[in-house]
Amino acid sequence: RKEVEQDPGPFNVPEGATVAFNCTYSNSASQSFFWYRQDCRKEPKLLMSVYSSGNEDGRFTAQLNRASQYISLLIRDSKLSDSATYLCVVFTAGTALIFGKGTTLSVSS
Amino acid sequence: DTGVSQDPRHKITKRGQNVTFRCDPISEHNRLYWYRQTLGQGPEFLTYFQNEAQLEKSRLLSDRFSAERPKGSFSTLEIQRTEQGDSAMYLCASSETVNTEAFFGQGTRLTVV
């Protein structure tokens, strides 16, 4: 089993749609969780950290379920500018940040 | 600019040559990571440093790869006897401490011909 697994994608949605991405991680001792966004041929950029209580930043909501070792990202009212690859990232003590392969989102008008 | 800086941005080299990349992390960031990314894949972990100590190396990092972080500031990643399979984007990231988010440089795109 891979350390961090994400929905295969791609997700093709119209503007205004709500879309959800899922991610599972294999190490129950993992401590910190993040979602990064990566535009084509650019470096990954932090979108948001994921907290145990769940957190929201505008149209973006992240959830963590430690019991199921599952992380989610919900995007409401999708914009054309949301088109990108979304990377799930997990940190476990004694090692580095581990990235999933990413899920590609394409928002069309 | 106080972000992570990588140099060069692009490198084309002939197979068998050695290449060296440099990364300048955000000032005061203790952790420095190197990742490799190929098309359609997420960043794959190569190695990381806590200050000047190299704490972990991925099995992806063959003996042709070496990384240093003298004095816990900038870092270099060297690839000896490059192969076509080394062609990728090499990303450097730094974080303030353990457990915190990492910030990436713009990467060095290596093409081995």
Side-chain angles (χ1 to χ4, degrees):
Chain A
R1 180 182 174 187
K2 295 193 175 184
E3 291 187 72
V4 181
E5 294 198 67
Q6 295 187 237
D7 281 350
F11 285 65
N12 299 301
V13 303
E15 277 187 289
T18 296
V19 61
F21 304 141
N22 303 318
C23 171
T24 57
Y25 59 96
S26 61
N27 192 330
S28 60
S30 296
Q31 299 171 285
S32 301
F33 310 89
F34 309 94
W35 283 102
Y36 278 69
R37 170 191 169 130
Q38 187 171 27
D39 294 298
C40 187
R41 301 182 77 83
K42 299 284 189 181
E43 75 275 20
K45 293 187 177 179
L46 178 69
L47 178 66
M48 58 197 305
S49 301
V50 187
Y51 304 119
S52 296
S53 55
N55 48 302
E56 186 174 309
D57 182 2
R59 297 181 294 107
F60 299 83
T61 300
Q63 296 280 350
L64 167 64
N65 185 321
R66 286 188 183 272
S68 300
Q69 295 177 208
Y70 171 96
I71 306 158
S72 66
L73 176 68
L74 182 76
I75 305 176
R76 291 180 299 278
D77 189 22
S78 299
K79 311 291 185 190
L80 293 174
S81 58
D82 293 334
S83 297
T85 296
Y86 291 83
L87 298 159
C88 176
V89 185
V90 174
F91 172 80
T92 306
T95 187
L97 292 166
I98 301 300
F99 285 73
K101 286 191 173 183
T103 301
T104 300
L105 172 65
S106 178
V107 182
S108 56
S109 57
Chain B
D1 187 346
T2 57
V4 178
S5 176
Q6 290 189 246
D7 184 70
R9 295 285 309 280
H10 303 275
K11 178 71 177 178
I12 300 173
T13 191
K14 291 184 178 179
R15 191 173 50 189
Q17 297 294 304
N18 299 343
V19 294
T20 300
F21 309 143
R22 176 179 171 123
C23 172
D24 287 273
I26 293 172
S27 181
E28 307 302 324
H29 275 197
N30 295 323
R31 283 223 163 177
L32 186 147
Y33 304 90
W34 284 100
Y35 291 86
R36 181 176 71 186
Q37 188 174 28
T38 52
L39 197 63
Q41 302 294 316
E44 296 175 298
F45 167 69
L46 293 178
T47 188
Y48 81 96
F49 294 84
Q50 176 75 26
N51 298 312
E52 67 275 10
Q54 187 174 18
L55 296 186
E56 186 178 354
K57 293 193 290 187
S58 162
R59 57 182 169 76
L60 292 175
L61 215 64
S62 76
D63 57 6
R64 296 186 298 105
F65 287 71
S66 62
E68 295 183 337
R69 192 183 182 195
K71 302 179 184 178
S73 56
F74 71 93
S75 176
T76 58
L77 178 69
E78 181 183 15
I79 309 174
Q80 297 182 325
R81 305 181 303 281
T82 52
E83 301 173 356
Q84 286 189 319
D86 296 332
S87 295
M89 174 74 86
Y90 290 84
L91 292 162
C92 174
S94 69
S95 65
E96 189 173 358
T97 63
V98 171
N99 210 16
T100 57
E101 66 271 19
F103 297 90
F104 281 83
Q106 293 179 301
T108 294
R109 185 169 296 282
L110 173 66
T111 303
V112 182
V113 297

